[in-house]
Amino acid sequence: MLMKIGIAATGGSMDAQVSDQFGRCPFFLIVDSDTMRFEAFTNPASDMSGGAGPAAVRELVNRGAEVVIAGRFGPKAQSALDAAGVRYVEAGGKVRDAVAALKL
Amino acid sequence: MVIAIASGKGGTGKTTVATNLAIVLARSGRQVQLLDCDVEEPNCHLFVHPEIRQEIPVSVGQPAVADNLCRGCGKCSELCQFGAIICLGDRVAVFPELCHSCGGCMLVCPEGAITEQMRQVGMVELGAFDGVAFGHGRLNVGEARAIPVIAELKRQKHEDAVVIIDGPPGTSCPVIEAVKGSDFVCLVTEPTPFGLHDLIMAADVVRQLQLPMGVVINRSGIGDDRVQQYCRQQGIAVLAEIRDDRRIAEAYSRGELAVEACPELGQVFHALAEEISRQVRP
Protein backbone atom coordinates (compact mmCIF):
# COMPACT_ATOMS: atom_id res chain seq x y z
CA MET A 1 0.00 0.00 0.00
CA LEU A 2 1.44 3.36 -0.92
CA MET A 3 2.48 5.34 2.12
CA LYS A 4 4.36 8.58 2.45
CA ILE A 5 6.78 8.07 5.34
CA GLY A 6 8.47 10.99 7.08
CA ILE A 7 11.76 10.27 8.82
CA ALA A 8 13.80 12.50 11.13
CA ALA A 9 17.43 12.06 10.07
CA THR A 10 20.96 13.18 10.78
CA GLY A 11 21.72 13.59 7.07
CA GLY A 12 19.85 14.02 3.79
CA SER A 13 20.21 10.49 2.43
CA MET A 14 18.70 7.05 2.90
CA ASP A 15 22.00 5.93 4.43
CA ALA A 16 21.89 8.59 7.14
CA GLN A 17 20.99 7.63 10.69
CA VAL A 18 17.47 8.09 12.02
CA SER A 19 17.69 11.10 14.33
CA ASP A 20 17.22 10.49 18.02
CA GLN A 21 15.41 13.85 18.20
CA PHE A 22 12.31 14.75 16.26
CA GLY A 23 11.51 18.47 16.57
CA ARG A 24 15.07 19.71 16.23
CA CYS A 25 16.55 17.05 13.96
CA PRO A 26 18.76 18.50 11.22
CA PHE A 27 17.02 16.84 8.24
CA PHE A 28 13.79 15.18 7.23
CA LEU A 29 13.25 12.68 4.45
CA ILE A 30 9.85 11.90 2.94
CA VAL A 31 9.91 8.44 1.35
CA ASP A 32 7.35 7.06 -1.04
CA SER A 33 6.94 3.48 0.24
CA ASP A 34 6.15 1.96 -3.19
CA THR A 35 8.85 3.49 -5.32
CA MET A 36 11.32 4.24 -2.50
CA ARG A 37 11.77 7.65 -4.10
CA PHE A 38 12.53 10.28 -1.51
CA GLU A 39 12.91 13.98 -0.97
CA ALA A 40 15.22 15.37 1.70
CA PHE A 41 15.13 18.83 3.25
CA THR A 42 16.62 20.67 6.20
CA ASN A 43 14.28 20.95 9.15
CA PRO A 44 12.92 24.53 9.32
CA ALA A 45 12.12 24.03 13.03
CA SER A 46 15.63 23.03 14.07
CA ASP A 47 16.53 26.50 15.39
CA MET A 48 13.32 27.20 17.28
CA SER A 49 13.63 27.80 21.00
CA GLY A 50 10.09 26.52 21.61
CA GLY A 51 7.38 24.71 19.71
CA ALA A 52 9.82 22.95 17.37
CA GLY A 53 7.89 19.67 17.52
CA PRO A 54 4.54 21.10 16.35
CA ALA A 55 6.28 23.23 13.72
CA ALA A 56 8.08 20.14 12.36
CA VAL A 57 4.75 18.26 12.29
CA ARG A 58 3.23 21.10 10.29
CA GLU A 59 6.00 20.91 7.71
CA LEU A 60 5.63 17.13 7.38
CA VAL A 61 1.83 17.31 7.10
CA ASN A 62 2.14 19.99 4.42
CA ARG A 63 4.36 17.61 2.46
CA GLY A 64 1.89 14.72 2.80
CA ALA A 65 3.57 12.49 5.41
CA GLU A 66 1.15 9.86 6.75
CA VAL A 67 3.46 8.15 9.22
CA VAL A 68 6.59 9.52 10.91
CA ILE A 69 9.74 7.83 12.29
CA ALA A 70 12.23 9.26 14.82
CA GLY A 71 14.14 8.08 17.87
CA ARG A 72 11.67 9.72 20.22
CA PHE A 73 8.95 12.36 20.19
CA GLY A 74 8.41 15.14 22.71
CA PRO A 75 4.98 15.72 24.30
CA LYS A 76 4.03 18.68 22.09
CA ALA A 77 5.13 16.79 18.98
CA GLN A 78 2.95 13.88 20.05
CA SER A 79 -0.04 16.20 20.58
CA ALA A 80 0.44 17.74 17.17
CA LEU A 81 0.81 14.34 15.49
CA ASP A 82 -2.35 13.10 17.22
CA ALA A 83 -4.22 16.24 16.18
CA ALA A 84 -3.09 15.72 12.59
CA GLY A 85 -4.06 12.04 12.64
CA VAL A 86 -0.50 11.03 11.71
CA ARG A 87 0.91 7.78 13.11
CA TYR A 88 4.36 7.90 14.68
CA VAL A 89 6.90 5.17 15.33
CA GLU A 90 10.06 5.24 17.46
CA ALA A 91 12.99 3.59 15.71
CA GLY A 92 16.73 3.90 15.17
CA GLY A 93 19.48 2.78 12.84
CA LYS A 94 19.77 3.69 9.16
CA VAL A 95 16.88 5.49 7.48
CA ARG A 96 16.76 2.85 4.77
CA ASP A 97 16.49 0.01 7.32
CA ALA A 98 13.86 1.80 9.42
CA VAL A 99 11.68 2.31 6.34
CA ALA A 100 12.06 -1.37 5.37
CA ALA A 101 11.11 -2.47 8.88
CA LEU A 102 8.02 -0.28 8.76
CA LYS A 103 6.86 -1.82 5.49
CA LEU A 104 6.89 -5.35 6.97
CA MET B 1 12.57 55.81 43.86
CA VAL B 2 12.57 52.22 42.61
CA ILE B 3 15.48 49.99 43.63
CA ALA B 4 15.69 46.57 41.98
CA ILE B 5 17.66 43.82 43.70
CA ALA B 6 19.06 41.34 41.19
CA SER B 7 22.00 38.98 41.05
CA GLY B 8 22.96 36.54 38.36
CA LYS B 9 23.80 33.60 40.53
CA GLY B 10 20.91 32.41 42.65
CA GLY B 11 21.22 32.18 46.39
CA THR B 12 23.56 35.15 46.76
CA GLY B 13 21.28 37.05 49.13
CA LYS B 14 18.80 39.13 47.11
CA THR B 15 15.94 38.42 49.48
CA THR B 16 18.19 39.03 52.49
CA VAL B 17 19.14 42.43 51.10
CA ALA B 18 15.61 43.32 49.90
CA THR B 19 13.80 42.46 53.13
CA ASN B 20 16.36 43.90 55.52
CA LEU B 21 16.78 47.07 53.48
CA ALA B 22 13.00 47.51 53.44
CA ILE B 23 12.60 47.19 57.21
CA VAL B 24 15.60 49.40 57.99
CA LEU B 25 14.34 52.15 55.66
CA ALA B 26 10.82 51.95 57.09
CA ARG B 27 12.12 52.19 60.66
CA SER B 28 14.03 55.32 59.70
CA GLY B 29 10.73 56.95 58.74
CA ARG B 30 10.53 56.39 54.97
CA GLN B 31 7.45 55.18 53.10
CA VAL B 32 8.51 51.81 51.74
CA GLN B 33 6.94 49.21 49.48
CA LEU B 34 8.49 45.76 49.04
CA LEU B 35 7.53 43.91 45.84
CA ASP B 36 8.67 40.29 45.60
CA CYS B 37 8.83 39.82 41.82
CA ASP B 38 10.31 36.31 41.95
CA VAL B 39 6.86 34.97 41.15
CA GLU B 40 8.05 31.45 40.39
CA GLU B 41 9.32 31.02 43.94
CA PRO B 42 8.41 34.03 46.10
CA ASN B 43 10.10 33.88 49.49
CA CYS B 44 10.08 37.38 51.03
CA HIS B 45 6.87 36.49 52.84
CA LEU B 46 8.76 33.83 54.82
CA PHE B 47 10.78 36.54 56.55
CA VAL B 48 8.41 39.48 56.77
CA HIS B 49 5.13 37.64 57.45
CA PRO B 50 2.82 40.09 55.71
CA GLU B 51 -0.90 40.35 56.35
CA ILE B 52 -2.46 39.86 52.92
CA ARG B 53 -5.46 42.12 52.30
CA GLN B 54 -6.03 41.90 48.58
CA GLU B 55 -5.82 39.23 45.89
CA ILE B 56 -5.68 40.01 42.19
CA PRO B 57 -6.00 36.99 39.85
CA VAL B 58 -3.81 37.22 36.74
CA SER B 59 -5.12 35.76 33.49
CA VAL B 60 -3.84 35.61 29.94
CA GLY B 61 -5.70 35.12 26.69
CA GLN B 62 -5.22 32.11 24.49
CA PRO B 63 -6.82 31.25 21.14
CA ALA B 64 -10.00 29.17 21.02
CA VAL B 65 -10.63 27.88 17.49
CA ALA B 66 -14.13 27.06 16.22
CA ASP B 67 -13.51 23.93 14.13
CA ASN B 68 -16.69 24.42 12.14
CA LEU B 69 -15.52 27.84 10.92
CA CYS B 70 -11.83 26.97 10.34
CA ARG B 71 -10.99 26.26 6.71
CA GLY B 72 -7.33 25.39 7.25
CA CYS B 73 -5.85 28.39 5.43
CA GLY B 74 -2.88 28.44 7.82
CA LYS B 75 -2.67 32.25 8.21
CA CYS B 76 -2.74 31.96 12.01
CA SER B 77 0.20 29.52 11.91
CA GLU B 78 2.20 31.75 9.60
CA LEU B 79 1.75 34.76 11.86
CA CYS B 80 2.50 33.08 15.18
CA GLN B 81 6.10 33.78 16.27
CA PHE B 82 5.98 31.20 19.02
CA GLY B 83 4.60 28.08 17.34
CA ALA B 84 1.58 28.20 19.66
CA ILE B 85 -0.98 27.66 16.92
CA ILE B 86 -0.26 25.16 14.16
CA CYS B 87 -2.36 24.46 11.10
CA LEU B 88 -2.29 20.78 10.21
CA GLY B 89 -4.14 20.24 6.96
CA ASP B 90 -7.76 21.04 7.68
CA ARG B 91 -7.54 21.55 11.43
CA VAL B 92 -5.62 23.60 13.94
CA ALA B 93 -3.77 22.61 17.13
CA VAL B 94 -3.17 25.14 19.93
CA PHE B 95 -0.32 24.96 22.49
CA PRO B 96 -1.35 27.41 25.25
CA GLU B 97 1.95 27.17 27.09
CA LEU B 98 3.74 28.68 24.07
CA CYS B 99 1.17 31.45 23.49
CA HIS B 100 2.27 35.01 24.31
CA SER B 101 -1.31 36.37 24.02
CA CYS B 102 -0.48 38.84 21.24
CA GLY B 103 -3.96 38.32 19.68
CA GLY B 104 -2.44 38.25 16.19
CA CYS B 105 -3.98 34.94 15.16
CA MET B 106 -7.44 36.26 16.01
CA LEU B 107 -6.90 39.38 13.91
CA VAL B 108 -5.56 37.57 10.89
CA CYS B 109 -8.12 34.74 10.67
CA PRO B 110 -10.26 35.42 7.58
CA GLU B 111 -13.12 33.24 8.86
CA GLY B 112 -13.41 34.81 12.32
CA ALA B 113 -12.88 31.33 13.73
CA ILE B 114 -10.59 32.40 16.58
CA THR B 115 -11.77 33.96 19.82
CA GLU B 116 -9.88 34.74 22.99
CA GLN B 117 -10.30 32.48 25.98
CA MET B 118 -8.88 33.64 29.31
CA ARG B 119 -6.83 31.30 31.49
CA GLN B 120 -5.71 32.15 35.02
CA VAL B 121 -1.93 31.80 35.33
CA GLY B 122 -1.29 33.19 38.78
CA MET B 123 -2.16 35.64 41.50
CA VAL B 124 -0.90 38.92 42.91
CA GLU B 125 -1.28 39.35 46.69
CA LEU B 126 -1.04 42.73 48.39
CA GLY B 127 -0.77 43.58 52.05
CA ALA B 128 1.61 45.00 54.63
CA PHE B 129 4.02 44.21 57.48
CA ASP B 130 5.46 46.56 60.14
CA GLY B 131 4.28 49.63 58.24
CA VAL B 132 5.81 48.44 54.96
CA ALA B 133 3.50 48.00 51.96
CA PHE B 134 3.96 44.54 50.52
CA GLY B 135 3.16 42.73 47.32
CA HIS B 136 4.16 39.48 45.71
CA GLY B 137 3.14 37.36 42.79
CA ARG B 138 2.57 33.64 42.66
CA LEU B 139 2.80 31.90 39.29
CA ASN B 140 0.66 28.75 39.13
CA VAL B 141 2.64 25.51 39.09
CA GLY B 142 3.01 24.28 35.51
CA GLU B 143 2.80 27.69 33.87
CA ALA B 144 5.77 28.56 31.67
CA ARG B 145 5.55 32.37 31.55
CA ALA B 146 6.17 34.49 34.62
CA ILE B 147 5.98 37.86 32.87
CA PRO B 148 2.20 38.45 33.02
CA VAL B 149 2.24 38.03 36.82
CA ILE B 150 5.33 40.22 37.27
CA ALA B 151 3.78 42.91 35.06
CA GLU B 152 0.54 42.92 37.09
CA LEU B 153 2.52 43.13 40.35
CA LYS B 154 4.56 46.08 39.10
CA ARG B 155 1.33 47.87 38.15
CA GLN B 156 0.64 47.97 41.90
CA LYS B 157 3.75 50.08 42.53
CA HIS B 158 3.23 53.06 44.90
CA GLU B 159 4.39 56.31 43.35
CA ASP B 160 5.22 58.04 46.61
CA ALA B 161 7.30 55.34 48.27
CA VAL B 162 10.75 53.86 48.08
CA VAL B 163 9.94 50.71 46.14
CA ILE B 164 12.24 47.74 46.65
CA ILE B 165 11.90 45.01 44.04
CA ASP B 166 13.19 41.56 44.98
CA GLY B 167 14.01 40.18 41.54
CA PRO B 168 14.26 36.60 40.28
CA PRO B 169 17.72 35.04 39.93
CA GLY B 170 19.49 34.83 36.60
CA THR B 171 19.38 37.02 33.53
CA SER B 172 16.36 35.79 31.57
CA CYS B 173 13.09 37.45 30.56
CA PRO B 174 11.48 37.50 34.03
CA VAL B 175 14.54 39.34 35.38
CA ILE B 176 14.28 41.98 32.66
CA GLU B 177 10.57 42.41 33.40
CA ALA B 178 11.25 42.82 37.12
CA VAL B 179 14.19 45.19 36.75
CA LYS B 180 13.23 47.42 33.82
CA GLY B 181 12.10 50.93 34.62
CA SER B 182 13.93 50.97 37.97
CA ASP B 183 16.00 53.93 39.10
CA PHE B 184 18.81 51.74 40.36
CA VAL B 185 19.83 48.09 40.26
CA CYS B 186 21.63 46.56 43.19
CA LEU B 187 23.46 43.38 42.14
CA VAL B 188 24.06 41.01 45.03
CA THR B 189 26.94 38.57 44.68
CA GLU B 190 29.19 36.32 46.70
CA PRO B 191 32.98 36.63 46.39
CA THR B 192 33.48 33.28 44.62
CA PRO B 193 34.24 32.25 41.00
CA PHE B 194 30.60 31.20 40.54
CA GLY B 195 29.36 34.49 41.95
CA LEU B 196 31.70 36.50 39.73
CA HIS B 197 30.86 34.54 36.60
CA ASP B 198 27.15 35.20 36.92
CA LEU B 199 27.67 38.78 38.16
CA ILE B 200 29.46 39.58 34.90
CA MET B 201 26.43 38.34 32.92
CA ALA B 202 24.00 40.27 35.12
CA ALA B 203 26.04 43.48 34.89
CA ASP B 204 26.07 43.11 31.12
CA VAL B 205 22.26 42.87 31.07
CA VAL B 206 21.84 45.91 33.32
CA ARG B 207 24.27 47.87 31.16
CA GLN B 208 22.16 47.05 28.10
CA LEU B 209 19.09 48.28 29.95
CA GLN B 210 21.06 51.48 30.60
CA LEU B 211 20.29 51.52 34.31
CA PRO B 212 22.67 52.70 37.04
CA MET B 213 23.97 49.83 39.16
CA GLY B 214 26.08 48.91 42.13
CA VAL B 215 27.24 45.69 43.75
CA VAL B 216 26.66 44.30 47.23
CA ILE B 217 29.11 41.60 48.24
CA ASN B 218 27.33 39.18 50.56
CA ARG B 219 29.14 36.54 52.60
CA SER B 220 32.34 38.53 52.22
CA GLY B 221 35.31 36.56 53.52
CA ILE B 222 34.40 33.15 52.07
CA GLY B 223 36.23 33.56 48.76
CA ASP B 224 38.69 35.92 47.16
CA ASP B 225 38.86 39.51 45.93
CA ARG B 226 38.24 38.94 42.22
CA VAL B 227 34.76 40.48 42.47
CA GLN B 228 36.29 43.67 43.87
CA GLN B 229 38.91 43.65 41.09
CA TYR B 230 36.19 43.24 38.46
CA CYS B 231 34.15 46.10 39.93
CA ARG B 232 37.23 48.33 40.01
CA GLN B 233 38.06 47.53 36.37
CA GLN B 234 34.47 48.13 35.27
CA GLY B 235 33.94 51.26 37.35
CA ILE B 236 31.05 49.64 39.24
CA ALA B 237 30.60 50.86 42.82
CA VAL B 238 30.78 48.30 45.61
CA LEU B 239 27.94 49.63 47.75
CA ALA B 240 28.34 47.39 50.76
CA GLU B 241 29.95 44.22 52.03
CA ILE B 242 28.09 41.92 54.38
CA ARG B 243 30.56 39.75 56.26
CA ASP B 244 29.85 36.02 56.31
CA ASP B 245 28.28 35.23 59.66
CA ARG B 246 26.71 31.95 60.70
CA ARG B 247 24.13 33.87 62.74
CA ILE B 248 22.68 35.27 59.49
CA ALA B 249 22.28 31.75 58.07
CA GLU B 250 20.71 30.58 61.33
CA ALA B 251 18.27 33.50 61.30
CA TYR B 252 17.43 32.71 57.67
CA SER B 253 16.70 29.10 58.53
CA ARG B 254 14.28 30.31 61.23
CA GLY B 255 12.50 32.70 58.87
CA GLU B 256 13.91 35.65 60.79
CA LEU B 257 15.27 38.91 59.41
CA ALA B 258 19.06 39.23 59.65
CA VAL B 259 18.74 42.61 61.42
CA GLU B 260 16.63 40.97 64.16
CA ALA B 261 19.28 38.33 64.86
CA CYS B 262 22.27 40.68 64.39
CA PRO B 263 21.18 44.22 65.26
CA GLU B 264 24.58 45.63 64.29
CA LEU B 265 23.65 44.81 60.68
CA GLY B 266 21.14 47.67 60.84
CA GLN B 267 24.12 49.99 60.38
CA VAL B 268 25.26 48.08 57.25
CA PHE B 269 21.84 48.36 55.62
CA HIS B 270 21.51 52.05 56.57
CA ALA B 271 24.86 52.72 54.95
CA LEU B 272 23.74 50.74 51.88
CA ALA B 273 20.58 52.86 51.61
CA GLU B 274 22.65 56.06 51.89
CA GLU B 275 25.10 54.85 49.27
CA ILE B 276 22.29 53.98 46.83
CA SER B 277 20.74 57.41 47.41
CA ARG B 278 24.09 59.01 46.70
CA GLN B 279 24.44 57.04 43.46
CA VAL B 280 20.94 57.94 42.26
CA ARG B 281 21.12 61.66 43.17
CA PRO B 282 24.80 62.62 43.22
Side-chain angles (χ1 to χ4, degrees):
Chain A
M1 190 194 101
L2 168 67
M3 257 197 305
K4 280 197 144 186
I5 307 170
I7 307 110
T10 57
S13 82
M14 293 292 278
D15 292 311
Q17 291 288 110
V18 173
S19 170
D20 192 47
Q21 290 180 306
F22 169 71
R24 293 187 181 82
C25 67
F27 291 91
F28 279 112
L29 278 78
I30 308 256
V31 181
D32 186 312
S33 68
D34 267 359
T35 62
M36 292 302 275
R37 289 174 66 173
F38 70 95
E39 56 168 320
F41 54 96
T42 52
N43 176 8
S46 58
D47 278 339
M48 290 176 74
S49 59
V57 170
R58 176 163 184 242
E59 186 65 27
L60 290 171
V61 164
N62 282 349
R63 291 177 187 248
E66 297 160 88
V67 59
V68 174
I69 303 173
R72 56 193 159 75
F73 297 84
K76 294 205 253 302
Q78 291 186 41
S79 277
L81 288 161
D82 289 338
V86 170
R87 191 158 65 99
Y88 51 100
V89 173
E90 290 182 352
K94 273 206 188 130
V95 170
R96 186 186 300 284
D97 297 336
V99 169
L102 192 68
K103 287 167 67 172
L104 290 172
Chain B
M1 173 162 63
V2 180
I3 306 167
I5 317 287
S7 59
K9 181 181 181 294
T12 52
K14 288 181 293 306
T15 298
T16 298
V17 170
T19 53
N20 286 278
L21 191 59
I23 202 83
V24 160
L25 276 171
R27 285 177 186 165
S28 75
R30 307 294 296 278
Q31 291 265 64
V32 181
Q33 184 189 33
L34 175 64
L35 295 179
D36 187 349
C37 288
D38 187 1
V39 305
E40 291 181 73
E41 58 256 322
N43 62 350
C44 286
H45 65 283
L46 300 173
F47 304 95
V48 300
H49 316 291
E51 189 200 315
I52 299 298
R53 297 173 189 150
Q54 194 185 346
E55 289 180 355
I56 305 173
V58 180
S59 297
V60 297
Q62 66 187 55
V65 182
D67 289 324
N68 57 321
L69 296 175
C70 173
R71 291 202 305 170
C73 70
K75 288 200 161 67
C76 55
S77 254
E78 277 161 35
L79 177 131
C80 184
Q81 295 288 299
F82 308 103
I85 185 164
I86 298 279
C87 180
L88 302 159
D90 61 350
R91 75 202 77 162
V92 159
V94 175
F95 296 90
E97 64 273 36
L98 297 174
C99 177
H100 283 53
S101 311
C102 73
C105 54
M106 260 193 322
L107 286 175
V108 91
C109 174
E111 311 301 326
I114 304 179
T115 51
E116 186 175 61
Q117 191 173 65
M118 298 308 284
R119 177 176 97 253
Q120 188 176 344
V121 296
M123 185 81 88
V124 161
E125 294 181 336
L126 304 172
F129 65 93
D130 290 338
V132 178
F134 175 85
H136 70 187
R138 291 179 184 274
L139 182 69
N140 289 351
V141 171
E143 287 295 336
R145 298 188 58 237
I147 286 170
V149 180
I150 299 173
E152 182 60 52
L153 177 58
K154 285 182 74 177
R155 274 195 278 275
Q156 309 302 321
K157 208 165 37 125
H158 292 171
E159 292 307 318
D160 51 355
V162 175
V163 180
I164 296 175
I165 290 176
D166 188 12
T171 50
S172 60
C173 294
V175 173
I176 310 285
E177 189 68 29
V179 156
K180 74 184 186 192
S182 304
D183 296 303
F184 191 84
V185 181
C186 185
L187 291 173
V188 183
T189 189
E190 59 180 44
T192 63
F194 239 141
L196 176 59
H197 179 275
D198 291 5
L199 173 68
I200 293 171
M201 291 198 298
D204 192 42
V205 164
V206 176
R207 215 172 276 123
Q208 291 194 56
L209 290 173
Q210 300 187 308
L211 296 173
M213 64 174 131
V215 164
V216 169
I217 300 176
N218 192 18
R219 302 195 68 200
S220 124
I222 65 167
D224 55 38
D225 67 347
R226 271 180 282 183
V227 167
Q228 270 105 330
Q229 281 179 43
Y230 166 78
C231 290
R232 219 172 6 247
Q233 280 158 20
Q234 298 290 313
I236 303 174
V238 174
L239 307 164
E241 285 191 44
I242 302 169
R243 281 217 69 82
D244 184 47
D245 189 333
R246 195 196 156 89
R247 292 178 300 154
I248 300 176
E250 286 174 358
Y252 187 98
S253 71
R254 286 194 299 266
E256 255 179 55
L257 289 170
V259 293
E260 302 292 350
C262 316
E264 72 276 17
L265 280 180
Q267 183 67 300
V268 175
F269 286 101
H270 262 299
L272 171 59
E274 307 257 281
E275 195 47 48
I276 293 174
S277 261
R278 210 170 292 137
Q279 298 276 332
V280 174
R281 294 178 195 114

